[in-house]
C-alpha cells in the first residue's frame, strides 16, 4: 500500500499505528516456530532468518518511519533471495513494507525498473556488495548498511540444534568464506560439521586472485616504463598544484608486435596512477550502430566526453593505426576517412586542452598513422614495444612473483625465454600458480621450471654450421670495415641459451655512425647480411634455412635494405624514387613489379658473390674461427682479435650491379 491512504493523515493513535504496521514499540525476537520452520527447510534459510531478525531488532527506529528506502548490502558468498524470503517472514509479511532484491547491472545497463519499487513508501532492497545501484535508488535511499549473515553465534547455534558438534574459531572463520549454498553439506543432522569443513579446500588467497593487478608499469617495459615513472611524478605535482596541466605529457603512442603487453601496460598504468580508465578501440567506433560517419564520430566524441567527465583519466585507444593516413586514402573513401582523422584531431586538441585526460594509443604499424596525430600536444611520445630482453623478462616475473625477486634460478629461467612475450610469461605463471594451489603451498621456481617448454639440444653438426654462419658475419664485418665486432656466440640449448632474441647465434657489431651514407657503404651492409649464407656454402657446400624464414632475418633485412636502395634512394638502375613506397605498399606488394624485382635481385646476387669471394680468400681463418666458436660457444676481446689480424687476400670491390 502506498501513500494513497496516508496522504495528509496524521497518525497519532497507537492502535492505528500498529494496525498500519509501524514498528515503534514492539520488540522483534526470534520466533521459535518460524525459526524451526526455517531450519527444517535448509541451513542457509535458518541463518538468513537469524540475520534478518537481528537486523530488524537493531533498526526498529528506522523501520518505524513513515517513509524509507533501506539498501542492505549482502556479502558475495550469499545470494540475496534467502534473505528476502526470511525478512518477509520476520516482518510477518507486512503489506506496508516492500522487500525485494536489487539485481546486478548487465552489459545492457540496469534492467531493474526502479519506478515499480519507488512508488511505495517503505522499501527494503537487498543488494550484493559488488553491484552498482540504480541511479534513482542511489538518490532515494534513506540508509545503506551491511547485514551480518555470518555471525559466529548463529553458526554455533545451528551446529548445536542439528547435533553437529562444537565449532572452533577456525571453523567459524572458514564458514564465513564459503558460499552459503554449501552450508547444507556442512550441517547435516548428527554429522560432525568440523570434520566436514576440513574436506573443503582452503579458499584461493587474495594474492592469487589479483596477481594481474600487481604488474608494475615502471618495470619491464623499457622506455615506456621510464615515461610512466616521469608521468607519475608529474601527475603528483599537478595534483599538489605545483605545476600546470600544460607541463604534463598529453599522450603516448605505444607500438610493436602483438603480445608484447601494450594493453596490459595501459591498465597497469591507470591503476598505478590511481586514475580512471576508459578503454576502447577504433574498431568499436566503426561498429557503432550502422557504422555511418555520423555514428562513428558520435561514438568518438562520446568516448572523449566520458574521459573528460572522469578526469583525471587515462584514455586507452587500441588499434590506433586503423585511423590511417590522409596522404594514402583511396579516392573512393577519401571524404569519409578525412573527416574521421579531422574529428580525432579535434578531440585530441580539445577546446579546453582536455585537462586531466592522458591518451594512450596502441598499434602494430605506426607508419600507417597520420603524422598530424603524432605531433606535439597530441600523441607526442612514441615508444616501441619490442619483445622484452632478459632483464625485462625478469622484471615481469618479479612483478607477478614479488616473493621470488632476485632469485638466481628465476633469472636463469628468464634468460632462457628469449623471444617470449609478456603474455607468454603470464601463461607460465598462471600454470605455476595452478600447480601451487593443488599442492596447497606457495609458488616456487621449480613450478616455473617444470612448465618451461622443452628445448631440443643442438647436435654437433648443427652447432658447427651455426658457428660457420656467424664466423662469416664476423670476418665480413671486419674486412668490409662495417664497424667494431664486440662479440660472437652460438647456442647449444644445453649449456648456453639465447637471452636477447630467438636465434641460434648472435654477432654483436657496433656500426660506424654516418651522416651521409655512400652507395658503397649500403652495398657493404647488404653483403654483411649475406655473409652467413656465403660462409655456409663455401665451407659446407650448401646453404641452410638459418638466414630466412621470418621478419628481421638476414635475408629479410637484406631484401628490405636493397628495396630502399633502389626505390627510396635511387641507387639502383634508375634514378626514379618513391620515398614512401615501402611503408605505403610493403615489400611484398612492391615485389610484384617485375622490373623492380629484377633490379633488386641483381643487387642481392652481386653482393652475395662478392662476399663469397671475400670469404674464400679467408677460408683458413673462417674454418679456424668456426671450430673455436663451436668449442667455446663465445668469442670476444683478445680471443676474437686473434682471428681478425691479417687479411690474406685482396678485397674485391663492389660491383656496379
Amino acid at each position: 500500500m502506498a501513500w494513497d491512504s496516508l496522504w495528509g493523515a496524521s497518525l497519532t493513535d497507537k492502535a492505528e499505528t500498529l494496525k498500519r504496521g509501524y514498528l515503534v514499540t514492539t520488540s522483534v525476537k526470534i520466533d521459535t516456530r518460524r525459526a524451526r520452520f526455517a531450519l527444517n527447510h535448509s541451513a542457509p534459510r535458518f541463518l538468513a532468518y537469524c540475520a534478518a531478525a537481528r537486523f530488524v531488532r537493531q533498526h526498529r527506529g528506522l523501520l518505524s518511519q513513515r517513509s524509507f528506502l533501506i539498501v542492505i548490502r549482502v556479502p558475495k558468498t550469499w545470494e540475496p533471495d534467502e534473505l528476502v524470503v526470511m525478512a518477509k517472514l520476520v516482518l510477518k509479511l507486512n503489506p506496508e513494507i516492500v522487500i525485494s532484491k536489487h539485481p546486478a547491472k548487465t552489459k545492457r545497463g540496469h534492467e531493474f525498473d526502479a519506478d515499480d519499487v519507488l512508488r511505495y513508501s517503505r522499501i527494503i532492497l537487498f543488494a550484493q556488495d559488488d553491484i552498482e545501484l540504480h541511479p534513482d535508488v542511489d538518490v532515494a535511499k534513506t540508509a545503506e548498511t551491511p547485514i551480518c549473515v555470518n555471525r559466529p553465534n548463529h553458526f554455533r547455534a545451528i551446529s548445536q540444534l542439528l547435533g553437529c558438534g562444537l565449532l572452533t574459531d577456525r571453523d567459524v572463520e572458514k564458514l564465513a568464506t564459503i558460499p552459503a549454498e554449501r552450508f547444507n553439506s556442512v550441517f547435516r543432522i548428527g554429522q560432525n560439521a568440523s570434520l566436514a569443513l576440513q574436506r573443503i579446500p582452503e579458499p584461493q588467497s587474495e594474492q592469487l586472485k589479483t596477481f594481474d593487478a600487481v604488474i608494475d608499469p615502471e618495470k619491464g617495459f623499457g622506455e615506456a616504463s621510464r615515461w610512466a615513472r616521469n608521468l607519475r611524478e608529474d601527475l603528483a605535482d599537478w595534483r599538489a598544484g605545483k605545476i600546470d596541466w600544460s607541463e604534463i605529457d598529453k599522450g603516448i603512442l605505444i607500438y610493436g608486435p602483438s603480445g608484447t603487453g601494450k594493453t596490459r601496460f595501459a591498465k597497469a598504468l591507470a591503476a598505478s596512477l590511481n586514475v580512471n580508465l576508459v578503454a576502447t578501440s577504433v574498431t568499436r567506433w566503426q561498429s557503432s550502430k550502422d557504422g555511418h560517419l555520423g555514428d562513428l564520430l558520435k561514438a568518438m566524441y562520446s568516448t572523449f566526453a566520458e574521459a573528460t567527465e572522469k578526469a583525471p583519466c587515462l584514455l586507452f585507444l587500441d588499434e590506433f593505426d586503423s585511423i590511417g593516413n590522409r596522404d594514402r586514402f583511396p579516392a573512393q573513401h577519401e571524404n569519409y576517412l578525412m573527416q574521421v582523422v579531422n574529428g580525432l584531431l579535434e578531440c585530441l586538441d580539445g577546446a579546453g586542452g582536455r585537462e586531466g585526460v592522458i591518451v594512450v594509443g596502441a598499434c602494430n604499424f605506426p607508419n600507417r598513422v597520420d603524422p598530424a596525430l603524432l605531433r606535439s600536444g597530441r600523441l607526442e611520445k612514441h615508444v616501441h614495444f619490442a619483445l622484452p630482453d632478459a632483464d625485462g623478462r625478469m622484471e615481469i616475473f618479479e612483478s607477478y612473483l614479488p616473493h621470488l625477486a632476485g632469485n638466481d634460478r628465476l633469472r636463469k629461467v628468464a634468460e632462457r625465454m628469449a623471444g617470449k612475450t609478456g603474455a607468454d610469461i603470464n601463461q607460465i605463471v598462471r600454470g605455476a600458480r595452478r600447480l601451487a594451489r593443488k599442492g596447497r603451498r606457495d609458488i616456487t621456481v621449480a613450478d616455473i621450471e617444470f612448465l618451461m617448454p622443452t628445448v631440443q639440444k643442438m647436435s654437433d653438426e648443427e652447432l658447427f654450421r651455426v658457428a660457420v654462419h656467424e664466423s662469416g658475419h664476423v670476418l665480413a664485418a671486419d674486412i668490409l670495415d662495417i664497424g667494431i665486432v664486440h662479440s660472437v656466440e652460438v647456442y647449444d640449448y644445453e649449456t648456453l641459451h639465447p637471452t636477447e632474441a630467438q636465434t641460434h647465434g648472435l654477432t654483436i657489431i657496433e656500426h660506424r655512425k654516418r651522416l651521409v651514407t655512400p652507395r658503397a657503404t649500403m652495398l657493404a651492409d647488404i653483403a654483411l647480411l649475406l655473409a652467413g649464407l656465403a660462409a655456409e656454402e663455401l665451407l659446407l657446400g650448401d646453404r641452410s634455412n638459418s638466414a630466412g624464414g621470418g621478419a628481421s632475418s638476414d635475408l629479410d633485412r637484406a631484401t628490405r635494405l636493397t628495396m630502399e636502395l633502389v626505390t627510396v634512394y635511387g641507387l639502383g638502375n634508375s634514378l626514379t624514387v618513391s620515398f614512401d613506397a615501402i611503408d605505403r605498399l610493403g615489400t611484398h606488394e612492391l615485389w610484384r613489379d617485375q622490373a623492380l624485382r629484377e633490379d633488386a635481385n641483381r643487387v642481392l646476387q652481386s653482393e652475395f658473390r662478392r662476399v663469397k669471394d671475400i670469404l674464400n680468400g679467408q677460408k683458413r681463418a673462417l674454418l679456424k674461427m668456426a671450430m673455436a666458436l663451436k668449442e667455446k660457444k663465445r668469442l670476444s676481446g683478445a680471443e676474437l682479435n686473434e682471428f681478425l689480424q691479417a687479411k690474406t687476400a685482396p678485397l674485391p670491390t663492389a660491383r656496379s650491379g
Side-chain angles (χ1 to χ4, degrees):
M1 187 177 296
W3 283 102
D4 53 341
S5 60
L6 300 177
W7 188 259
S10 177
L11 300 179
T12 56
D13 183 75
K14 181 179 179 181
E16 179 64 18
T17 300
L18 291 176
K19 186 175 72 173
R20 303 300 297 179
Y22 288 90
L23 302 172
V24 178
T25 58
T26 305
S27 177
V28 178
K29 299 179 180 179
I30 293 288
D31 186 306
T32 305
R33 183 174 58 85
R34 287 188 171 87
R36 202 39 98 161
F37 171 79
L39 183 61
N40 289 338
H41 184 276
S42 67
R45 186 155 289 191
F46 173 79
L47 294 168
Y49 181 88
C50 295
R54 184 176 186 275
F55 179 86
V56 172
R57 285 199 307 271
Q58 290 182 329
H59 298 86
R60 289 197 305 271
L62 181 59
L63 292 167
S64 66
Q65 295 179 12
R66 294 182 61 181
S67 175
F68 58 76
L69 193 165
I70 306 172
V71 177
I72 302 178
R73 289 292 189 174
V74 181
K76 294 180 181 179
T77 54
W78 276 79
E79 284 293 333
D81 302 293
E82 297 284 4
L83 290 161
V84 170
V85 174
M86 290 298 97
K88 291 179 179 178
L89 191 64
V90 168
L91 292 173
K92 302 178 181 179
L93 303 178
N94 190 330
E96 294 290 325
I97 301 179
V98 173
I99 304 174
S100 186
K101 167 186 172 181
H102 190 303
K105 183 179 179 181
T106 68
K107 292 182 179 180
R108 295 186 295 271
H110 287 284
E111 297 182 347
F112 169 58
D113 191 347
D115 290 338
D116 285 346
V117 175
L118 293 176
R119 60 194 181 90
Y120 293 94
S121 307
R122 293 182 289 169
I123 310 159
I124 297 175
L125 291 178
F126 287 91
Q128 283 192 308
D129 280 336
D130 57 342
I131 75 166
E132 178 185 339
L133 295 179
H134 190 287
D136 292 343
V137 172
D138 203 31
V139 171
K141 66 184 179 185
T142 309
E144 183 175 351
T145 181
I147 187 170
C148 297
V149 287
N150 293 323
R151 288 186 58 79
N153 58 325
H154 294 166
F155 285 134
R156 290 191 167 96
I158 190 173
S159 187
Q160 182 178 356
L161 288 170
L162 294 179
C164 297
L166 298 176
L167 297 177
T168 65
D169 292 341
R170 181 71 187 91
D171 292 336
V172 171
E173 291 176 4
K174 191 168 185 178
L175 281 166
T177 65
I178 65 176
E181 59 263 23
R182 303 199 72 173
F183 291 158
N184 284 330
S185 63
V186 175
F187 298 109
R188 299 187 60 79
I189 297 176
Q191 301 298 314
N192 191 298
S194 185
L195 289 177
L197 282 168
Q198 293 176 20
R199 302 186 193 105
I200 299 177
E202 291 294 325
Q204 187 177 352
S205 69
E206 192 64 26
Q207 181 185 9
L208 297 184
K209 290 180 183 177
T210 60
F211 77 93
D212 272 334
V214 302
I215 292 296
D216 187 351
E218 297 181 14
K219 294 181 179 180
F221 295 98
E223 187 180 353
S225 291
R226 292 188 289 274
W227 180 82
R229 192 177 306 115
N230 292 333
L231 179 62
R232 173 177 54 79
E233 295 170 355
D234 289 345
L235 200 59
D237 289 341
W238 173 72
R239 282 169 164 157
K242 296 179 180 178
I243 63 174
D244 189 72
W245 182 257
S246 61
E247 298 184 44
I248 295 180
D249 288 346
K250 302 298 185 299
I252 184 174
L253 178 73
I254 52 181
Y255 61 92
S258 300
T260 50
K262 296 184 289 294
T263 301
R264 193 173 78 253
F265 169 79
K267 292 180 179 179
L269 179 61
S272 69
L273 296 177
N274 193 26
V275 299
N276 293 309
L277 174 67
V278 174
T280 188
S281 67
V282 176
T283 301
R284 289 186 186 178
W285 289 344
Q286 292 170 338
S287 62
S288 178
K289 295 185 178 179
D290 296 326
H292 296 308
L293 177 62
D295 295 330
L296 187 154
L297 292 176
K298 185 176 181 181
M300 181 192 297
Y301 294 145
S302 176
T303 297
F304 277 86
E306 180 185 359
T308 302
E309 290 175 3
K310 293 182 176 180
C313 175
L314 188 146
L315 174 56
F316 178 62
L317 301 179
D318 204 0
E319 303 166 1
F320 200 74
D321 45 9
S322 297
I323 287 292
N325 188 333
R326 288 172 293 182
D327 293 335
R328 304 176 187 176
F329 289 153
Q332 62 269 34
H333 304 302
E334 184 174 6
N335 182 58
Y336 178 97
L337 297 172
M338 186 78 71
Q339 293 190 61
V340 172
V341 173
N342 290 340
L344 185 54
L345 286 170
E346 179 187 347
C347 291
L348 287 174
D349 288 336
R354 57 179 170 87
E355 182 167 353
V357 178
I358 302 157
V359 180
V360 176
C363 69
N364 302 122
F365 307 103
N367 55 299
R368 298 179 183 176
V369 179
D370 194 293
L373 296 169
L374 306 180
R375 290 175 185 158
S376 299
R378 296 161 186 165
L379 300 192
E380 54 196 1
K381 181 72 173 178
H382 313 143
V383 175
H384 180 220
F385 262 51
L387 294 174
D389 58 14
D391 290 337
R393 294 191 294 271
M394 183 61 181
E395 288 182 348
I396 295 174
F397 268 122
E398 290 176 337
S399 294
Y400 285 125
L401 308 169
H403 66 291
L404 295 178
N407 186 286
D408 290 337
R409 284 174 61 188
L410 185 62
R411 179 168 293 280
K412 290 181 179 179
V413 170
E415 290 175 351
R416 289 173 53 192
M417 294 187 66
K420 299 299 182 181
T421 66
D424 295 325
I425 296 175
N426 178 287
Q427 182 182 17
I428 289 179
V429 171
R430 282 188 282 116
R433 289 186 182 280
R434 192 176 299 114
L435 292 175
R437 286 197 301 271
K438 289 180 179 179
R440 301 180 69 178
R441 55 175 172 73
D442 290 336
I443 190 172
T444 65
V445 179
D447 296 319
I448 302 290
E449 293 172 333
F450 178 77
L451 294 170
M452 285 290 292
T454 303
V455 179
Q456 182 179 349
K457 176 187 173 183
M458 188 170 286
S459 67
D460 287 344
E461 181 183 348
E462 291 171 325
L463 189 61
F464 180 63
R465 179 177 287 273
V466 175
V468 169
H469 184 106
E470 296 303 323
S471 297
H473 287 308
V474 173
L475 287 176
D478 183 65
I479 294 171
L480 293 170
D481 197 26
I482 299 293
I484 301 172
V485 182
H486 289 288
S487 65
V488 58
E489 53 193 20
V490 293
Y491 313 109
D492 59 2
Y493 299 102
E494 182 181 29
T495 61
L496 194 63
H497 296 264
T499 60
E500 303 302 325
Q502 202 166 17
T503 182
H504 302 317
L506 185 66
T507 302
I508 305 297
I509 303 172
E510 181 183 348
H511 287 251
R512 302 194 188 284
K513 297 180 180 179
R514 292 181 173 89
L515 296 177
V516 178
T517 305
R519 179 177 184 273
T521 300
M522 294 187 69
L523 292 174
D525 288 337
I526 295 170
L528 172 65
L529 292 167
L530 301 174
L533 278 184
E536 289 184 49
E537 189 171 285
L538 187 64
L539 289 188
L540 303 174
D542 65 350
R543 311 176 219 165
S544 69
N545 63 357
S546 57
S552 297
S553 63
D554 289 346
L555 282 178
D556 178 74
R557 291 161 62 197
T559 302
R560 186 177 181 88
L561 184 55
T562 303
M563 298 295 279
E564 289 179 358
L565 182 142
V566 173
T567 63
V568 177
Y569 301 111
L571 296 176
N573 287 339
S574 172
L575 292 177
T576 304
V577 299
S578 178
F579 69 91
D580 63 344
I582 295 178
D583 290 338
R584 179 163 42 87
L585 300 175
T587 54
H588 295 295
E589 187 68 26
L590 286 174
W591 208 239
R592 297 181 181 182
D593 186 322
Q594 187 64 28
L596 180 60
R597 182 171 180 170
E598 291 176 356
D599 195 2
N601 188 54
R602 189 180 299 111
V603 173
L604 288 167
Q605 292 289 354
S606 175
E607 290 310 304
F608 179 77
R609 290 192 298 270
R610 180 165 78 106
V611 77
K612 187 176 178 181
D613 288 344
I614 292 174
L615 295 177
N616 189 41
Q618 302 286 341
K619 198 170 182 178
R620 181 177 295 181
L622 178 64
L623 178 59
K624 187 178 179 181
M625 180 185 292
M627 292 177 65
L629 182 58
K630 173 183 177 293
E631 181 68 25
K632 297 184 177 182
K633 309 296 188 300
R634 189 175 194 276
L635 297 174
S636 63
E639 287 181 320
L640 185 59
N641 289 333
E642 289 181 13
F643 301 98
L644 301 178
Q645 296 299 324
K647 297 179 176 63
T648 59
L651 177 63
T653 58
R655 293 178 173 86
S656 61

